[in-house]
Amino acid sequence: MSPSSRPRIPCAVLLLWPLFVAVPIAVPTAARSESLDAWMPDDVIGYVRVSGLGAQVDRFLASDLRKELESLPMAQELLSHPNWKKFLKEVENFETSTGQSALSVFRGLLGEEVLVGARIGLGGPEVILIARAPGEKELEKSLQLIKNAAEQRGVFAEYKSRQRGDWTVESVQDKLAHVRIGSVWAASNSSAAIDRVLDLVEGKSTSSLQNAAAFSRARQDTLKDALISAAVRPQFIPNYAIPEKVDNPLGSLIAGAWTAALDAADLLCASARVSGGDLEVKLASVLGKKADDQKDWKKYAGFFPEVFPDGFKERLEKKGVLAYTQVQRNLAKWWERREDLLTSKAAGGLIEFSNVMSIVFGGRNFQDEVLPDLGPTVTIVARNQEYKSLAARPQPAIPGFAGIFQLKNAKDSSEGIVAAFYTLVGIINADRAQKKGGMSMIPRPKKVGDVDLHTVSFGSAMTKDSRPGLLHNFTPSLAVVGSKVIISSSEELAQVIVEALQGLEEPTKASGAARDSLAVDGAALRSILKTNRDVLVEDNMLKRGHSKVEAEQEIGLLFDALQHLRDLRLESGRKGNVMELELKVSTDLDTKAASQSAPAGAKAEKAVKL
Amino acid sequence: MIRSARRLSHAIRSPSAPQEESGAGGDADAGLEAYRPGVDGPWTRDEASHLARRMVFGAPSDLVARILSQTPSEAAAEILAEKPENEDIRFTSDISRQVAGLDGAQASWIYRMLRGSNPAREKLALFWHGHFATSERKVDNVRLMLRQVDLFRTKGAGAFEDLLAAVARDPAMLIWLDGNSNRKGNPNENFARELFELFALGIGHYTEVDIKEAARAFTGWHVKADEFWFNERAHDAEPKRVLGREGTLDGGDVIRICVEEPASAEFIASKLYEFYVHPAPTKALRTALGKAFSAASRRTGEFLVRLLSSRAFFSARTRRALVTTPADFAVGSLATLGARANAGAVARSMAAMGQELLAPPSVKGWEMGEAWLNSTTLLARYRFAVSAAGVEGDKAEQDLGARWDGGSQLTDPVAEILARFFPERLSPDVEKALRSSASGDARLLAAGCLQLPEHQFF
């Protein structure tokens, strides 16, 4: 290479090259890009992670939602509470002494990501907090401001420092130890815990949360981009015990699967996410060996039947229902194991129920003949009524309720079910006649397509009542459509369901996964509450000793809270060795859209001066 | 609590002797003359509180102040006068009539006692409810029970005859006493018997023949579709003889005949006296009361105003002479404190104390006086006391849903609370012990006041 073709190196570079090497070396390399999980020790019992809270708070403070919420009477009451005012005073003092807004300090310290873990150390419970700040300068500034404010108040006046390699660990009155690692801050009530964090930072240890097999499932079983997520190993929680038996049969039927899941959990995970106007929550129980090994789990067999989906749920949703819930249980198996699942008092109470049901079903044995005939899917539906046959809307107006059950041998069983229905009607009529000549229920069967709809209603005089009462909500009805039997409090609803079921093909393929679901329609819920507003107000007056004005204010809060609800959906079921529950609340609030008209950060900060 | 129980036991074993009025059983009439403040005795917070506690529930401080600004008879008349009911009561009553079950109806009535514009009328309605005792447990129709209570409100202070005639036609009463099975040729004596024995005359002023004849007069007084129905076909229109009067008497005639008996005036007036003034009037006093009732044209309101502004009422013997009914204890305590509560929970507490509204134990109503106090009912009262005062940390508070500001608006809460409940001053020992146990905490003091034996009487 000739001298004229050699690359020309600037003199400045030649002189200053050490800096380009030294500076990167001086900044601890681990600080830049690690996941916080990599620095949390793996022997924590559990942890909580909050991500992007600073941005969410900014969005909220700049949004119309915030203004709406502040205008609510309940919010006004909370904002004028002495404790809240005390808190605001402290914030004001902080801002006066530091010259900075409390929000910016919060954002600078905890706004990006926070991971908090808890473990049981030799000296007792230890909490480790690791937070990522927007940058090193922001972190340093925030910490310094907090320190200044604390010193001015005389709080935490004693500091001790020690050097641990490249890091300075500061302790405050032996109650709090903390260290800055670039833009990451770690704090704990245990100095030894901070050392463990630094071991991970320096690569002296690899026993981190990130590498922990015990928590690996948490990443799969939490919502992506969750605002907050948590995981805990329940077997390490002191005194963690799930009651073996419950005292409520209905509670057992509905939630028994979760009792089982909590009992057998190796890991419990929870997460929540806000996107647009939707809130999603997910709970998951990662089942351990207990779920498969122990004899105990056989008692839960009734909660995990094989199911055959048929699209009924989807048809139902198009029919304007207020709410529905669908649970999948092997009722016969549940009944067989009831004494293992229920307290002796609750189980004993079911004997009488069984006897009554046997009478109602024309002498058929409830346990041996009726229950085994029922399929696993039970659907409960609620729908607001239109009361077309009445002179006026009843007060209170109660939605129609219906239960839809599956029959394995519909052809053989349906006659018995119809007979049982009319038996019950007869019993009720006899009781009413005996008491005081009360009006009887009269059968008024009709056809819906080719389906017999058995329905009863009170005498025609009732329909002319100008101030109909509670009884006017009830027109008990029964129908059998294919393999499904519908029992409803309302003829209107029974007819709607019959129409939804007609033409539905009988399922042949098992899905294998029993899923429980619940859905509530916001508009229908608002409608029924609005119809019964006076009853709700009166109930509030009597229960709270309020005047009508005060009661209307409180009930107004309920309506305010619900006015933005679109719908609520919940699904729960077992997928492999995970029991999961997903809740989604959809609203028409879109804080993102509202905040697009106003920049976050400074404006939000200004807006927060309450 | 043990010391309190001993003092309570002592107080029960030594009830006030039958009241004698000015002169050993002599001039009972003079006791019914108007009380003259400054002449017959003082007119202080003590007297005003005494009047308030007896006429309404408790002694709310604003009412006591209002009483002191008037003469006793003006105050009694003003308290009893019917005022337009406030919107809160109109609203809750309307809804309750449509939707309430028994517990809702009970709650609605308690709410009315606490927040209504006519607490004296509510108290009087409660008196009549115990007098014409009818239970929803048999009637099985809350709407009818509420209508009956409305009847007591609207007619309770008017002419007794009008009230009695309306009660005889009341559907709830007819169901309660099996009116529909009272038919010509097979009369059911239930209503006739209770009319004479319990409602209008009292024992000893009629014969069994009178009952049988009166039953015939009420034949055909039936209920149909929840309304009174005169079933002519079931009515016995033949001549009858009741209490010495003959004719083709019907139910209305029998009622008139009963009410015109001097014994009726004495009976009703004495019952009112026992409820509002003192548990044991003498024979002479009963006669005087009967005369006074007749002089008021047998109009309950007029009679009560005279009675409750009389020298007898303000005499020393009547103070703390009555055992508080559960209604007086529960509703009265809340009203005196100015506290709010879950009306349904108050109703349930009262039931635990022995008084379930709209469901008296029998046609005789509730047994008054000492019968209110036994180990079970006292415990219910003590629990109520702690809840009503909102003593922190007590789970019972959650049951009652009571909300009281703890006297935070008062300059000297401890002194004011003591003055409200015991304007006549407690004995120095008791007050000292009470103050000491409360250690300046107004809630503890209030709870202590409510639990004192002295507060079980009013």
Side-chain angles (χ1 to χ4, degrees):
Chain A
M1 187 186 274
S2 67
S4 60
S5 65
R6 284 194 203 123
R8 291 169 67 89
I9 302 168
C11 290
V13 172
L14 288 172
L15 286 172
L16 296 173
W17 71 263
L19 280 177
F20 292 102
V21 174
V23 167
I25 290 173
V27 172
T29 52
R32 277 191 289 260
S33 60
E34 288 290 345
S35 157
L36 297 185
D37 287 20
W39 296 345
M40 178 66 73
D42 67 349
D43 60 349
V44 291
I45 293 174
Y47 67 83
V48 176
R49 184 199 318 279
V50 183
S51 304
L53 186 58
Q56 290 285 354
V57 169
D58 288 341
R59 262 198 289 277
F60 171 71
L61 291 173
S63 69
D64 292 335
L65 169 64
R66 181 223 162 157
K67 288 175 205 156
E68 266 196 65
L69 287 174
E70 275 180 348
S71 67
L72 294 177
M74 186 184 207
Q76 296 287 323
E77 207 176 301
L78 287 170
L79 292 173
S80 56
H81 194 279
N83 286 348
W84 177 252
K85 291 196 166 179
K86 199 172 160 189
F87 169 72
L88 286 183
K89 187 76 191 153
E90 294 293 331
V91 168
E92 199 184 314
N93 290 341
F94 175 85
E95 291 177 347
T96 308
S97 62
T98 60
Q100 293 290 321
S101 88
L103 258 187
S104 69
V105 173
F106 159 75
R107 221 183 283 115
L109 193 61
L110 303 174
E112 290 285 316
E113 187 184 357
V114 180
L115 179 66
V116 180
R119 59 193 287 273
I120 305 291
L122 288 172
E126 292 178 1
V127 176
I128 305 168
L129 179 149
I130 307 178
R132 188 191 305 284
E136 276 186 60
K137 280 189 189 163
E138 287 85 347
L139 175 61
E140 188 182 344
K141 189 178 171 187
S142 295
L143 286 173
Q144 190 58 50
L145 287 170
I146 291 172
K147 199 169 170 179
N148 292 346
E151 279 174 355
Q152 283 191 14
R153 297 287 298 270
V155 174
F156 292 154
E158 288 178 35
Y159 297 94
K160 287 183 200 164
S161 296
R162 62 179 169 93
Q163 207 58 31
R164 152 82 199 242
D166 296 327
W167 320 105
T168 306
V169 179
E170 209 166 51
S171 300
V172 183
Q173 289 180 337
D174 294 329
K175 287 180 186 164
L176 175 72
H178 71 104
V179 64
R180 258 192 318 125
I181 312 161
S183 64
V184 173
W185 181 54
S188 174
N189 61 329
S190 157
S191 191
I194 293 294
D195 283 327
R196 291 199 55 200
V197 170
L198 290 173
D199 285 344
L200 291 165
V201 170
E202 292 170 351
K204 287 180 181 169
S205 164
T206 55
S207 300
S208 68
L209 191 65
Q210 192 175 54
N211 298 332
F215 287 101
S216 60
R217 276 305 303 243
R219 281 181 277 281
Q220 287 173 254
D221 293 313
T222 52
L223 295 166
K224 201 174 159 226
D225 301 328
L227 169 65
I228 181 165
S229 58
V232 66
R233 293 186 290 169
Q235 63 269 44
F236 293 103
I237 298 174
N239 302 320
Y240 178 83
I242 301 299
E244 226 183 286
K245 298 184 182 186
V246 296
D247 60 7
N248 186 313
L250 190 61
S252 169
L253 265 175
I254 292 171
W258 269 97
T259 308
L262 291 171
D263 182 49
D266 264 359
L267 185 70
L268 295 172
C269 308
S271 52
R273 167 170 75 193
V274 175
S275 58
D278 296 349
L279 167 69
E280 292 171 72
V281 175
K282 183 172 177 178
L283 303 174
S285 169
V286 180
L287 303 175
K289 286 182 187 164
K290 200 177 180 184
D292 298 314
D293 291 349
Q294 291 201 13
K295 284 182 201 171
D296 261 357
W297 255 73
K298 286 186 185 166
K299 71 184 177 190
Y300 296 117
F303 296 103
F304 306 105
E306 200 177 46
V307 295
F308 298 78
D310 57 10
F312 167 54
K313 203 170 71 178
E314 289 73 15
R315 283 196 180 192
L316 204 57
E317 289 189 8
K318 293 176 187 165
K319 291 288 185 178
V321 297
L322 160 61
Y324 73 81
T325 182
Q326 195 169 72
V327 296
Q328 288 164 338
R329 303 283 181 270
N330 185 320
L331 292 172
K333 279 192 180 164
W334 177 84
W335 185 270
E336 265 170 33
R337 301 307 296 258
R338 65 191 183 282
E339 287 179 16
D340 295 324
L341 298 167
L342 302 173
T343 59
S344 52
K345 189 179 171 191
L350 288 176
I351 296 172
E352 203 179 316
F353 174 77
S354 167
N355 292 339
V356 170
M357 285 292 110
S358 289
I359 294 170
V360 168
F361 282 95
R364 294 173 77 204
N365 185 285
F366 182 64
Q367 175 166 344
D368 299 329
E369 295 178 83
V370 176
L371 281 179
D373 206 20
L374 294 176
T377 303
V378 177
T379 310
I380 311 286
V381 180
R383 187 176 188 271
N384 293 342
Q385 301 192 66
E386 291 169 34
Y387 307 105
K388 285 177 184 157
S389 62
L390 296 182
R393 185 178 289 273
Q395 192 166 44
I398 295 175
F401 285 88
I404 301 109
F405 304 86
Q406 286 175 313
L407 292 173
K408 288 179 186 163
N409 299 303
K411 267 190 191 167
D412 297 335
S413 311
S414 56
E415 272 192 0
I417 302 260
V418 172
F421 173 73
Y422 285 114
T423 303
L424 261 177
V425 169
I427 291 170
I428 292 168
N429 280 344
D431 181 62
R432 285 176 65 78
Q434 191 180 38
K435 275 183 179 154
K436 55 188 184 301
M439 212 169 284
S440 298
M441 289 191 287
I442 300 163
R444 301 183 200 278
K446 60 198 260 189
K447 280 274 197 199
V448 179
D450 57 0
V451 172
D452 291 322
L453 177 58
H454 304 275
T455 184
V456 296
S457 60
F458 291 101
S460 53
M462 293 268 281
T463 61
K464 292 167 194 158
D465 197 331
S466 61
R467 292 196 86 186
L470 184 66
L471 275 182
H472 292 75
N473 286 286
F474 298 103
T475 47
S477 304
L478 175 101
V480 180
V481 184
S483 65
K484 292 190 176 47
V485 60
I486 305 158
I487 302 170
S488 175
S489 69
S490 150
E491 183 201 330
E492 273 181 42
L493 177 56
Q495 187 158 337
V496 163
I497 295 170
V498 167
E499 287 164 1
L501 283 171
Q502 278 178 330
L504 201 62
E505 283 177 15
E506 292 298 325
T508 51
K509 205 171 155 191
S511 73
R515 300 288 285 182
D516 295 343
S517 50
L518 167 74
V520 178
D521 180 73
L525 182 61
R526 279 192 293 281
S527 171
I528 192 67
L529 289 177
K530 191 176 165 191
T531 302
N532 290 305
R533 189 180 181 126
D534 280 352
V535 175
L536 293 172
V537 168
E538 189 251 5
D539 187 67
N540 182 285
M541 291 168 77
L542 297 186
K543 284 203 166 98
R544 305 263 290 148
H546 280 160
S547 66
K548 190 174 175 221
V549 168
E550 289 166 331
E552 279 179 340
Q553 255 189 350
E554 267 201 13
I555 296 302
L557 293 177
L558 173 65
F559 281 77
D560 287 340
L562 288 175
Q563 72 178 346
H564 298 290
L565 176 69
R566 276 207 200 101
D567 61 41
L568 181 151
R569 286 173 185 282
L570 185 147
E571 282 223 356
S572 170
R574 183 173 172 177
K575 258 189 198 164
N577 74 327
V578 179
M579 186 79 188
E580 55 185 27
L581 182 148
E582 289 173 311
L583 169 71
K584 185 172 178 183
V585 180
S586 296
T587 73
D588 62 8
L589 301 163
D590 192 337
T591 54
K592 207 189 264 183
S595 72
Q596 275 169 3
S597 60
K603 188 165 181 180
E605 211 168 295
K606 207 170 174 185
V608 85
K609 296 290 179 191
L610 300 165
Chain B
M1 200 152 153
I2 293 171
R3 283 176 63 190
S4 296
R6 285 207 194 109
R7 293 216 317 282
L8 181 61
S9 165
H10 175 74
I12 290 171
R13 280 197 218 106
S14 314
S16 303
Q19 188 171 22
E20 294 177 3
E21 302 305 325
S22 20
D27 191 2
D29 292 323
L32 296 177
E33 293 301 315
Y35 179 77
R36 296 165 296 175
V39 174
D40 299 314
W43 188 233
T44 65
R45 188 172 185 170
D46 188 12
E47 285 70 36
S49 298
H50 173 62
L51 181 62
R53 286 194 299 264
R54 296 291 179 88
M55 283 201 80
V56 302
F57 300 98
S61 48
D62 56 339
L63 175 62
V64 169
R66 214 164 80 224
I67 292 171
L68 279 174
S69 70
Q70 303 170 84
T71 65
S73 58
E74 282 170 353
E78 190 263 317
I79 292 170
L80 194 58
E82 192 177 11
K83 297 144 196 92
E85 205 40 274
N86 63 57
E87 168 61 15
D88 293 348
I89 301 304
R90 284 200 300 274
F91 178 74
T92 53
S93 298
D94 193 41
I95 302 288
S96 293
R97 274 189 209 102
Q98 291 179 65
V99 314
L102 177 58
D103 48 359
Q106 291 167 340
S108 177
W109 196 2
I110 298 286
Y111 183 84
R112 197 165 178 147
M113 288 177 188
L114 278 167
R115 293 187 70 98
S117 305
N118 295 282
R121 293 282 175 133
E122 296 307 318
K123 186 131 185 200
L124 187 53
L126 183 62
F127 166 78
W128 291 123
H129 175 48
H131 181 77
F132 294 110
T134 311
S135 176
E136 198 275 342
R137 300 252 183 255
K138 178 176 175 182
V139 174
D140 197 23
N141 188 320
V142 174
R143 269 200 211 183
L144 292 185
M145 291 301 300
L146 290 174
R147 265 171 60 179
Q148 190 186 78
V149 177
D150 275 339
L151 181 69
F152 298 146
R153 277 188 198 106
T154 52
K155 292 190 182 293
F160 177 66
E161 184 175 341
D162 290 346
L163 174 64
L164 189 57
V167 168
R169 289 172 174 79
D170 176 64
M173 178 59 73
L174 286 164
I175 295 170
W176 174 240
L177 292 178
D178 306 307
N180 277 19
S181 55
N182 190 13
R183 306 183 66 89
K184 181 169 74 174
N186 190 18
N188 181 308
E189 294 173 10
N190 285 356
F191 181 75
R193 183 176 301 281
E194 307 315 344
L195 173 68
F196 288 138
E197 181 180 336
L198 297 173
F199 296 165
L201 281 180
I203 291 171
H205 301 286
Y206 57 91
T207 65
E208 281 298 309
V209 175
D210 288 322
I211 291 173
K212 286 184 188 337
E213 292 290 279
R216 286 175 57 211
F218 284 105
T219 50
W221 284 41
H222 290 179
V223 177
K224 186 164 130 181
D226 290 352
E227 295 294 338
F228 172 75
W229 172 47
F230 179 64
N231 185 354
E232 206 168 342
R233 289 183 62 184
H235 179 63
D236 179 348
E238 298 300 311
K240 307 158 191 85
R241 184 184 168 89
V242 176
L243 296 173
R245 314 263 199 105
E246 282 187 42
T248 51
L249 307 173
D250 70 2
D253 296 321
V254 169
I255 285 168
R256 181 177 42 78
I257 291 166
C258 268
V259 169
E260 285 172 358
E261 290 285 306
S264 174
E266 268 186 44
F267 178 65
I268 296 299
S270 298
K271 283 209 81 176
L272 285 164
Y273 185 87
E274 287 163 1
F275 184 83
Y276 279 99
V277 184
H278 192 276
T282 60
K283 195 168 180 326
L285 186 54
R286 285 177 185 274
T287 307
L289 288 167
K291 280 186 200 165
F293 192 60
S294 298
S297 308
R298 296 191 292 268
R299 297 188 68 84
T300 305
E302 270 181 49
F303 170 74
L304 273 180
V305 169
R306 181 177 171 188
L307 180 65
L308 300 177
S309 54
S310 67
R311 290 197 306 212
F313 179 73
F314 287 103
S315 71
R317 278 189 174 273
T318 65
R319 312 293 178 98
R320 304 278 175 189
L322 297 175
V323 177
T324 49
T325 65
D328 285 305
F329 179 82
V331 180
S333 299
L334 290 169
T336 307
L337 286 174
R340 305 192 199 203
N342 178 331
V346 175
R348 288 189 289 277
S349 287
M350 279 172 52
M353 293 176 208
Q355 185 174 39
E356 186 180 4
L357 290 179
L358 306 178
S362 74
V363 71
K364 290 181 180 172
W366 292 285
E367 213 179 321
M368 307 286 278
E370 294 173 19
W372 290 125
L373 302 175
N374 58 51
S375 54
T376 305
T377 58
L378 270 176
L379 190 59
R381 290 182 178 223
Y382 293 155
R383 282 181 58 88
F384 182 92
V386 175
S387 292
V391 174
E392 263 190 36
D394 191 276
K395 191 185 174 299
E397 179 189 347
Q398 298 156 23
D399 300 334
L400 196 56
R403 288 179 300 136
W404 176 49
D405 65 4
S408 57
Q409 310 294 326
L410 304 170
T411 318
D412 186 348
V414 167
E416 175 60 21
I417 290 162
L418 278 170
R420 282 189 196 178
F421 285 107
F422 305 107
E424 73 275 28
R425 301 300 300 267
L426 291 164
S427 75
D429 287 345
V430 172
E431 184 170 328
K432 188 178 170 191
L434 189 58
R435 281 178 179 266
S436 163
S437 67
S439 306
D441 185 324
R443 292 183 189 279
L444 284 175
L445 183 90
C449 286
L450 300 186
Q451 291 176 335
L452 281 179
E454 287 81 348
H455 187 62
Q456 312 315 312
F457 298 83
F458 74 135

